[in-house]
Amino acid sequence: MKNQIVKALIFNKQVRLYLINNTELLEKILHINHNSNTAVKGALANSLSVVSLLSATLKGHQRLSVTLTMSNPKSKIYADADAYGNIRGYANDFLLSNQKNYSTVKELIGPKGSIRMIKGVDMNQFTGITDMPYQNIDKDFSYYFKQSDQTDTLIQTNIEWKENNDIDNSYGLYAQLLPQSSVELLNYVEELMRRTLTLLQELVLSPLYINIYRML
């Protein structure tokens, strides 16, 4: 499946919504980083999915560059995008060569992680930096927008892995309140997303779906 992004305004234009399927993108980039630790690969995949969503906010010749610095400041993940949908990212050599076997993304980030984001064109750029209090990439990017832009934002990525630790499916959601809108709308979007994911997972595991898949 090709990478796809859908843009919409929902709830009477009170919420900006982006939905993405970037499975093919992650397959290509993670193939280059195939020898990395599972937690490192997961963090890189999440970061790339978030930046893929944020690329939809760019206009003209704008670019976006993101640096995630772990509690060990030598350990970094880089990702960047442009308004044309070009995405790239990687974990730095120190992180890839680190012998510590991180078991989770939370452990990898640690209590002193940070996000640094640069957005703009040439000399007209804005730089924002926040910490990562949740040690969760989706929540910490949402926190970034609340702190830097004073805008309530919901970011959710969902990455499904095969048994051999390759990407199976990757999709995500970006929802941002427009001025004078209630934060309760984001809570509703989050709950709706949770129910939809549960329904999809139940469908994929159902005997009916498996039989149809085999017929195809």
Side-chain angles (χ1 to χ4, degrees), residues 78-95:
Y78 299 95
D80 60 65
D82 61 27
Y84 304 103
N86 298 306
I87 315 292
R88 64 177 182 176
Y90 61 95
N92 71 348
D93 290 339
F94 180 86
L95 188 52

Side-chain angles (χ1 to χ4, degrees), residues 184-208:
E184 292 300 318
L185 293 176
L186 284 188
N187 296 334
Y188 182 77
V189 172
E190 184 174 19
E191 175 62 18
L192 187 62
M193 182 67 170
R194 185 190 65 80
R195 292 182 182 180
T196 302
L197 289 176
T198 300
L199 179 63
L200 287 173
Q201 290 167 353
E202 291 175 352
L203 176 63
V204 168
L205 293 175
S206 71
L208 176 61

